Amino acid sequence: MPEPRRRPDGERPGGRGGGAERGQGQRRGPRRRSAQTPAQRARQADPARAVAYRVLRQVDTEEAFANLVLPAALRSAGLQGRDAAFATELTYGTLRLLGLYDAVVAVAASRPVEEIDGPVRTVLRLGVHQLLGMRVPDHAAVSATVALARQQVGQGAGGFVNAVLRRVSEQDREAWVAQLLAPVDDPLARLALEHSHPEWVVRALRAGLVSARGAPTAEQELAPLLSAHNTPGPLTLVARPGLGAEQELEDAGATPAPVAPTAWVLPQGDPGALGSVREGRAAVQDAGSQLLTLALASAPLEGSDQQWLDLCAGPGGKAGLLAALAAGAGARLRANEVSEHRAELVRHTLVGPVHGGAQVDVTVGDGREIGTAQPQTYDRVLVDAPCTGLGALRRRPEARWRRSPQDLTTLGPLQRALLDSALRATRPGGLVAYATCSPHLAETELVVRDVLKRHPGVEQVDVRPWLRDRSGNPLTDLGPGPWAQLWPHLHGTDGMFVALLRVPGRSLG
């Protein structure tokens, strides 16, 4: 999202105004007009919109992650309850639908968005989301956004924003989509525009669906998958086994998630306010991450089962669950992370399991070197490899705009080197789980196939029977195997990939 040159406009403001009614979801029905004059409009932006603006500017100019900066911004502004929820929806909703909104703004402003000054462009995106993606009445959306522009950018910007948003408000989202799609013939390009994804991401997701689900099914499921990326995921917690968090979660209103035996869904509230979360006995974690960790820990193993390794542990979510499971199995976990800063996050995350009796060593080092430094040492190894994150777009909305195909050229060799190291660090007969939060074939199947060419004795274990729901039944729709691909639109989890490999009963070359 490059920063364009500044160009404050002074177009005459039009006639919208009113209060600050709020709601969520896409608004339908006829447009409502305001009889208020510009002079009657709000002069000051409300705190919720100001918070969303500041967070989006940080995402745009500092490559910040919204999920990291938004909570701090909400606390700094003292926002809670409905105001915090409104600011959150403004932030995440705008980021998810940014591609579609930019196309709308370009038409309404009669210029490419790249020619609009960055701060003004951010204000316009927030205004368009209120008009086309939320149930905020037109007069309130325009009035409050103009006030935001005047406060954050200047009077001239307020006039331009008012004029553009008036044009946007002349038709609803369906009509805008129909207008934008009219000249587009390519089916995947149409889906990319309608569902606000970069076209290369749509093509990569289609390829992943074809591999896992077959071509006819993939054609039917691509649009639901893209739509799922634009729907906020549930607030899912993990109750780390053996640490007694379940009753506290239930008392707080959380309900057991059927998709994974350790997963709970908190319908509302701040998870950080829960004692079990503060103490590390529970944590916020997507159910897909829990499932693959449980699969590695539960798959059968002959012989020693005392030494476990998380090769890329930062920031520590899977290590936290793995540590609790290792404690239950009488094993010791080494949680390795290449970054000292992220290793500190791992140490913090593991406080709960350690207080519960888990034996854990947190180390800082390059995971690619452990296979050589400690060959044939570990019984179970997790490789949660760095990836594009295309499977977690509903939780990391800025990722789709920040990533590019060029990232694969950097990540691919790293992923292969980490898996290669993991196999060397595993004792004969031991297990390695290779995982990514991406369904991109270049980060999943192709990595496993390439690495196994160098280790022809390694056995691919069918991981699907070990991905089990709360009732103990194997999940369905995981693909043809032996690896498994989870999907947001099918399983309600992030799009996690996992392959399970067994090292042969002899040393690897």
Side-chain angles (χ1 to χ4, degrees):
M1 289 180 281
E3 187 76 38
R5 58 190 169 85
R6 187 177 182 85
R7 181 176 158 176
D9 288 70
E11 297 184 26
R12 289 176 59 83
R16 300 284 192 279
E21 299 175 41
R22 293 171 180 176
Q24 295 186 11
Q26 186 178 341
R27 181 249 345 265
R28 298 178 185 278
R31 292 285 176 199
R32 284 159 286 187
R33 305 288 183 179
S34 170
Q36 288 186 306
T37 65
Q40 295 173 295
R41 295 187 192 115
R43 296 296 184 185
Q44 294 296 320
D46 65 277
R49 289 179 172 86
V51 163
Y53 172 82
R54 287 195 292 272
V55 171
L56 292 183
R57 291 305 298 152
Q58 285 185 266
V59 171
D60 206 9
T61 61
E62 303 171 17
E63 295 197 349
F65 293 97
N67 66 324
L68 298 182
V69 297
L70 179 60
L74 293 174
R75 286 194 296 271
S76 177
L79 296 185
Q80 297 179 342
R82 293 183 62 190
D83 286 335
F86 184 74
T88 300
E89 166 56 26
L90 262 183
T91 303
Y92 283 109
T94 300
L95 285 172
R96 290 189 183 98
L97 296 171
L98 185 146
L100 174 63
Y101 292 165
D102 278 359
V104 171
V105 167
V107 174
S110 301
R111 71 187 62 162
V113 291
E114 292 78 11
E115 295 183 4
I116 299 175
D117 180 48
V120 178
R121 185 180 51 189
T122 298
V123 171
L124 284 170
R125 289 167 173 168
L126 286 168
V128 174
H129 184 53
Q130 294 168 68
L131 288 168
L132 304 185
M134 302 176 72
R135 292 193 180 92
V136 181
D138 289 5
H139 59 84
V142 175
S143 173
T145 307
V146 168
L148 179 68
R150 288 170 173 158
Q151 180 189 65
Q152 301 290 338
V153 187
Q155 290 294 323
F160 175 64
V161 166
N162 184 65
V164 173
L165 293 184
R166 284 183 62 199
R167 286 204 61 191
V168 173
S169 69
E170 289 172 355
Q171 54 186 356
D172 62 18
R173 179 168 156 182
E174 287 80 3
W176 271 111
V177 169
Q179 177 180 336
L180 294 169
L181 292 182
V184 182
D185 295 325
D186 182 84
L188 296 186
R190 291 173 64 88
L191 285 172
L193 181 56
E194 180 179 0
H195 295 281
S196 193
H197 284 61
E199 194 172 322
W200 76 271
V201 172
V202 175
R203 295 186 184 281
L205 293 174
R206 179 185 178 279
L209 279 171
V210 169
S211 178
R213 309 281 294 154
T217 303
E219 300 303 332
Q220 298 170 4
E221 293 188 357
L222 183 54
L225 171 60
L226 299 176
S227 181
H229 288 163
N230 293 333
T231 303
L235 177 51
T236 307
L237 306 178
V238 55
R240 290 168 175 161
L243 302 182
E246 290 82 356
Q247 187 60 54
E248 292 179 42
L249 295 178
E250 185 173 353
D251 293 343
T255 56
V259 70
T262 52
W264 292 69
V265 175
L266 187 66
Q268 59 184 1
D270 178 10
L274 303 179
S276 56
V277 173
R278 290 198 304 271
E279 295 163 6
R281 292 179 288 115
V284 176
Q285 186 176 48
D286 181 75
S289 296
Q290 299 179 43
L291 283 165
L292 69 90
T293 306
L294 291 164
L296 172 62
S298 60
L301 193 67
E302 292 185 2
S304 170
D305 196 9
Q306 302 294 310
Q307 299 294 328
W308 295 11
L309 169 65
D310 187 346
L311 197 68
C312 316
K318 297 181 185 67
L321 177 54
L322 209 54
L325 295 168
R332 188 179 190 92
L333 173 68
R334 176 184 177 185
N336 181 74
E337 167 56 40
V338 68
S339 160
E340 175 58 50
H341 168 67
R342 287 167 64 87
E344 187 59 33
L345 297 176
V346 176
R347 294 186 188 96
H348 178 75
T349 299
L350 292 178
V351 166
V354 169
H355 283 173
Q359 301 180 71
V360 176
D361 301 303
V362 178
T363 60
V364 179
D366 191 332
R368 294 171 291 186
E369 300 173 356
I370 291 180
T372 301
Q374 292 186 295
Q376 304 180 45
T377 301
Y378 297 96
D379 303 301
R380 298 179 191 266
V381 178
L382 172 63
V383 185
D384 181 25
C387 67
T388 57
L390 298 185
L393 295 183
R394 59 182 185 162
R395 301 188 190 278
R396 302 172 193 164
E398 66 279 335
R400 72 184 75 175
W401 312 115
R402 190 170 290 169
R403 289 297 190 181
S404 73
Q406 288 68 41
D407 292 324
L408 297 170
T409 62
T410 302
L411 290 168
L414 175 60
Q415 292 159 349
R416 287 165 174 78
L418 288 169
L419 179 53
D420 184 85
S421 176
L423 291 171
R424 295 180 187 279
T426 304
R427 57 98 170 161
L431 291 169
V432 174
Y434 172 79
T436 65
C437 56
S438 169
H440 198 302
L441 294 178
E443 303 185 274
T444 58
E445 296 179 24
L446 296 181
V447 171
V448 176
R449 292 183 193 279
D450 283 354
V451 173
L452 290 188
K453 290 177 183 175
R454 296 197 291 272
H455 305 288
V458 172
E459 172 194 2
Q460 294 190 65
V461 179
D462 191 343
V463 72
R464 295 171 299 171
W466 308 108
L467 294 168
R468 297 180 176 177
D469 63 20
R470 184 171 288 276
S471 300
N473 299 315
L475 297 180
T476 59
D477 300 320
L478 296 172
W483 38 60
Q485 179 66 60
L486 296 166
W487 299 100
H489 67 294
L490 294 176
H491 305 101
T493 68
D494 288 349
M496 305 297 300
F497 169 88
V498 59
L500 193 59
L501 310 173
R502 189 185 305 280
V503 173
R506 58 178 176 78
S507 62
L508 293 171

